[in-house]
Amino acid sequence: MSKVRWHLTALFAAVAALVLGLVVVAPASGATGVKATFSKSSDWGSGYEGKYTISNGGTSAISSWSVEFELPAGHTVGSVWDGNKTTNGSRVTVKNTWNGNVAPGASVSFGFNVSYTGDSGSPIYCRIDGGSCDGTGGTPTTTTTPPPVTSTSTPPPGPGSKINLGYFAQWTVYARNYHVKNIHTSGSAAKLTHINYAFGNVSNGQCVLGDADADTGKFYDANASVDGVADTWDTGALRGNFNQLRKLKKMYPHIKVLYSFGGWTWSGGFGQAAQNPAAFAESCHKLVEDPRWADVFDGIDIDWEYPNACGLTCDTSGFSSFKNLAQALRARFGQNYLVTAAITADGSNNGKIDKADYGGAAQYLDWYNVMTYDYFGGFTPQGPTAPHSPLTAYPGIPADGFNSDAAIQKLKGKGVPSAKLLLGIGFYGRGWTGVTQDAPGGSATGPAPGDQGEAGIADYKTLKTRCPATGTVGGTAYAKCGNEWWSYDTPATIGGKMSYSKNQGLGGAFFWELSGDTANGELITSMSNGLK
């Protein structure tokens, strides 16, 4: 909590000024040449993402900074990243965290979210270290009198008690050129509560590394490293994504990281693991808690697609196999370690949710990531076109039970507590080509060209301009452009889904995956705001 300390003479001057009806402004103490420049991005009509860049145009380095600003009436600052925020009425003060040292000619920044009613506005007042933000060191001007001193500290970053979990896919460091550093530079880190690192493999009934080079070997120089410090080639030194995640956690101590095993491609090994759950759990514990990177991980996540049902391959391990695996993992990792699972969202009668004991397994797990996406897509080349992630059913939906609400209600009906269910969001779209009908339900000739090395799937960050949304159905968006038809979530539809999550008493939400978002984290911002 910030405090105002008055010298005795200043106090007498203030009293005199009040008697005369004047407003006294404390003398400035800002360093000449140090500026704080405001910029705005991603304005979605009820909020925007703002940033202040602190530039040192002086001749001496600074070791700390404090920026104070005020926004117009009806504007409220939410989460802040790369800075610690306090409020004093309508004034906001942000002080440095890890980024206090600024050499001459260098700059650092902090970001924040603003929600507003009415027109979108910019700060009407700004000072840095007590002086004007224009770098003159003079006294800033303001159109409003300073508010009364009622300063309160801001809670830690993230959407409060609700979980906002994002997947980081290890392979994005290759062709997609998305790295742990991007979680920081996009502003996403401050809005996440948890990261699932995907994926570890399941081979011969054991947990094993999925990609040793990406996981622990890839070298990051200073420019690419999340904290600006290059990796070392010293014998035994940890590199790769694991080391980058370690650095990210130091910068954002509120983030918990879970190691996720399986996924669509690597779920085939779970059937053998289920034959000896205790041995499987022991192998996972040995890997995840390896002393070289044990501090990186706070939990383990199992993404089995699908127990006692068919995914890439078909599993016949039995109804109880998933529960037995969950029980063994909890027994080995203990009560203070996060143990979670990503599960099917097939809410149809006698569908995949009915094939395994998800109700019984819930007692051993902290939560389920319910994969409420990929219901429909270009994997059925002729259509009919339908949104891949409908929140609710709608007239003409191609399959009963293939929507988010059906899955959530079915899991609740099996005894899974609402707070142990996270709603899934896809940061990508699925689409068809050869489509002539604007509305859902049209025929197609095949999957649309993709941007992830697979036809029929593309990132939100490219679809938002390549094929802008033209309508909504079932609580999500769709788009018709030329002969292509796509479905994907937008900031607006995500807002609706987050309201659903809160209304249903769910534990929060999660998304697949970080590299699909815009460079400034447009979708995760909507999730974070919607979960508050």
Side-chain angles (χ1 to χ4, degrees):
M1 179 180 293
S2 62
K3 296 180 180 178
V4 178
R5 296 181 174 86
W6 296 89
H7 294 296
L8 188 60
T9 54
L11 178 59
F12 287 139
V15 172
L18 288 173
V19 172
L20 296 172
L22 302 175
V23 175
V24 173
V25 181
S29 58
T32 302
V34 179
K35 298 181 180 180
T37 306
F38 172 76
S39 59
K40 182 192 299 186
S41 63
S42 295
D43 195 317
W44 49 90
S46 60
Y48 66 81
E49 184 173 302
K51 181 172 77 171
Y52 268 103
T53 300
I54 296 91
S55 304
N56 186 358
T59 58
S60 302
I62 61 173
S63 60
S64 65
W65 48 261
S66 176
V67 175
E68 182 181 350
F69 62 95
E70 184 174 340
L71 293 168
H75 289 58
T76 303
V77 174
S79 59
V80 173
W81 52 97
D82 297 337
N84 285 328
K85 179 189 78 169
T86 57
T87 57
N88 181 0
S90 59
R91 293 280 171 91
V92 179
T93 301
V94 179
K95 297 183 178 182
N96 61 275
T97 51
W98 60 274
N99 50 353
N101 293 313
V102 189
S107 63
V108 296
S109 65
F110 67 87
F112 52 95
N113 291 327
V114 174
S115 59
Y116 63 83
T117 56
D119 296 330
S120 175
S122 299
I124 56 177
Y125 172 95
C126 176
R127 66 182 179 183
I128 181 166
D129 298 330
S132 174
C133 284
D134 63 7
T136 63
T139 302
T141 58
T142 178
T143 58
T144 59
T145 57
V149 179
T150 56
S151 178
T152 56
S153 296
T154 299
S161 61
K162 296 296 184 180
I163 295 168
N164 190 12
L165 181 151
Y167 275 86
F168 179 87
Q170 68 204 154
W171 57 87
T172 61
V173 303
Y174 299 126
R176 294 175 68 75
N177 196 29
Y178 187 93
H179 307 271
V180 174
K181 181 178 180 178
N182 295 100
I183 306 175
H184 163 62
T185 58
S186 65
S188 300
K191 302 160 193 174
L192 286 164
T193 60
H194 299 77
I195 294 172
N196 271 13
Y197 182 76
F199 285 111
N201 200 351
V202 181
S203 178
N204 297 320
Q206 298 185 329
C207 285
V208 297
L209 290 176
D211 180 340
D213 182 61
D215 297 341
T216 66
K218 181 177 172 61
F219 177 84
Y220 280 89
D221 62 19
N223 185 59
S225 182
V226 68
D227 63 351
V229 178
D231 287 343
T232 173
W233 287 106
D234 292 349
T235 302
L238 185 65
R239 294 182 293 275
N241 290 328
F242 286 7
N243 189 43
Q244 292 297 301
L245 287 169
R246 172 185 284 166
K247 293 181 174 186
L248 185 74
K249 288 180 66 176
K250 288 181 180 179
M251 294 169 63
Y252 300 91
H254 71 280
I255 293 178
K256 304 298 183 184
V257 179
L258 296 86
Y259 198 165
S260 185
F261 289 85
W264 179 258
T265 304
W266 287 340
S267 284
F270 280 117
Q272 183 177 352
Q275 295 175 18
N276 192 339
F280 171 71
E282 180 62 36
S283 75
C284 297
H285 186 272
K286 183 178 180 180
L287 176 63
V288 178
E289 288 296 281
D290 187 300
R292 291 171 292 179
W293 52 72
D295 61 312
V296 174
F297 297 107
D298 306 281
I300 182 172
D301 177 75
I302 299 302
D303 186 350
W304 184 354
E305 302 181 25
Y306 301 96
N308 204 39
C310 295
L312 182 62
T313 59
C314 290
D315 175 70
T316 57
S317 58
F319 180 77
S320 299
S321 59
F322 179 75
K323 176 184 175 182
N324 294 339
L325 213 64
Q327 183 177 14
L329 287 168
R330 176 58 71 195
R332 183 62 188 90
F333 281 91
Q335 294 302 314
N336 296 322
Y337 205 79
L338 292 173
V339 181
T340 69
I343 65 170
T344 176
D346 176 0
S348 63
N349 290 330
N350 200 34
K352 291 183 176 67
I353 290 178
D354 294 324
K355 299 296 185 182
D357 191 4
Y358 292 109
Q363 62 187 301
Y364 305 112
L365 300 171
D366 289 280
W367 64 74
Y368 283 133
N369 300 313
V370 188
M371 295 184 285
T372 47
Y373 40 72
D374 293 341
Y375 285 112
F376 309 104
F379 41 80
T380 52
Q382 281 71 51
T385 58
H388 83 87
S389 187
L391 177 62
T392 60
Y394 60 89
I397 193 168
D400 292 336
F402 273 38
N403 64 84
S404 306
D405 181 62
I408 296 298
Q409 302 312 323
K410 180 170 280 258
L411 288 163
K412 285 184 178 182
K414 292 182 179 296
V416 181
S418 298
K420 286 193 174 187
L421 297 173
L422 305 189
L423 186 71
I425 304 293
F427 280 11
Y428 61 91
R430 288 195 176 273
W432 291 261
T433 190
V435 180
T436 59
Q437 180 175 310
D438 290 344
S443 60
T445 58
D451 66 359
Q452 298 186 20
E454 176 187 347
I457 185 169
D459 292 337
Y460 168 77
K461 65 176 180 279
T462 57
L463 286 173
K464 64 172 289 190
T465 53
R466 168 182 165 183
C467 195
T470 54
T472 59
V473 65
T476 189
Y478 65 86
K480 174 70 164 55
C481 52
N483 66 350
E484 294 183 12
W485 195 98
W486 290 87
S487 70
Y488 55 88
D489 274 309
T490 65
T493 63
I494 285 176
K497 289 186 173 184
M498 296 307 97
S499 294
Y500 170 90
S501 176
K502 291 192 294 186
N503 292 338
Q504 289 289 322
L506 306 188
F510 77 98
F511 61 90
W512 178 273
E513 44 79 22
L514 280 153
S515 71
D517 205 353
T518 59
N520 57 0
E522 187 174 313
L523 296 185
I524 193 175
T525 297
S526 182
M527 288 183 67
S528 178
N529 290 340
L531 288 170
K532 291 175 182 174

